[in-house]
Amino acid sequence: MPVEGKPTWIGIGRFGRVGLAAGAILPDSGMPVPAQLWLVETGVTHVRPRDDGSTIGGTVLVGSASDRPFAAFRDLTAMAILFASRPAANGRDDWNASLFYSPTSQLPFPLPGLAYVWRPYAGVEAKLGLPAGLEWAPDDDWSLSLGYTPLVNATAVLRRRLAAGFSAV
């Protein structure tokens, strides 16, 4: 478990498979659509609290997304995020700034982010800006997170705590 006020390292592993209907043909090339697509990624996030109450950190993620992971250089994925958070004047909310870069994404150039994190009451957090988001945690065991990052990346995650340090997503 992370210790309050201490730097934290988080390992990331992502694995996904999508099965597709067989027999489809790509119109421009005449090639068949693969029957399955894979995503295999790994990375790390580092978060460092600062003495003034702010936080800085970053994430690096690399992997492969294709019908044959790691078979060709063109199938590799890469992503990096730098972020900083500073407490707002009211002591309850925060200002977040970020810089996202993924040369293999829909927008293959650095994208800045700026959001105000509003916490009107316990269990509710709204990120007003880009990236945008809403988090609701009615109790310690359940949480719902909704997010939007341009252009077409929307997420919804329902999380259930199973035991201390373990959750189902």
Side-chain angles (χ1 to χ4, degrees):
M1 290 296 289
V3 177
E4 185 73 29
K6 299 288 184 184
T8 302
W9 289 93
I10 302 168
I12 303 167
R14 292 175 45 180
F15 176 80
R17 178 190 170 276
V18 175
L20 304 171
I25 303 294
L26 296 171
D28 291 345
S29 66
M31 295 179 63
V33 173
Q36 58 188 358
L37 296 174
W38 297 89
L39 173 67
V40 180
E41 292 182 315
T42 187
V44 65
T45 295
H46 180 64
V47 181
R48 180 172 293 278
R50 300 178 47 94
D51 292 338
D52 63 358
S54 64
T55 303
I56 59 172
T59 298
V60 174
L61 195 64
V62 295
S64 180
S66 81
D67 59 330
R68 294 185 322 247
F70 302 102
F73 185 75
R74 72 173 185 275
D75 301 330
L76 297 181
T77 62
M79 184 265 304
I81 302 172
L82 296 175
F83 55 85
S85 178
R86 181 170 194 81
N90 65 12
R92 176 192 67 206
D93 303 333
D94 290 313
W95 283 99
N96 288 350
S98 60
L99 183 63
F100 170 88
Y101 178 61
S102 176
T104 58
S105 73
Q106 293 171 325
L107 301 172
F109 46 84
L111 295 172
L114 182 62
Y116 184 78
V117 182
W118 178 49
R119 297 181 184 94
Y121 50 89
V124 174
E125 180 177 289
K127 293 181 182 93
L128 308 171
L130 288 177
L134 178 64
E135 294 192 27
W136 176 53
D139 58 39
D140 291 339
D141 292 331
W142 289 94
S143 67
L144 174 64
S145 299
L146 306 172
Y148 173 72
T149 305
L151 287 174
V152 295
N153 297 320
T155 59
V157 177
L158 180 63
R159 180 174 287 120
R160 167 78 163 113
R161 186 175 73 131
L162 302 175
F166 294 97
S167 296
V169 179

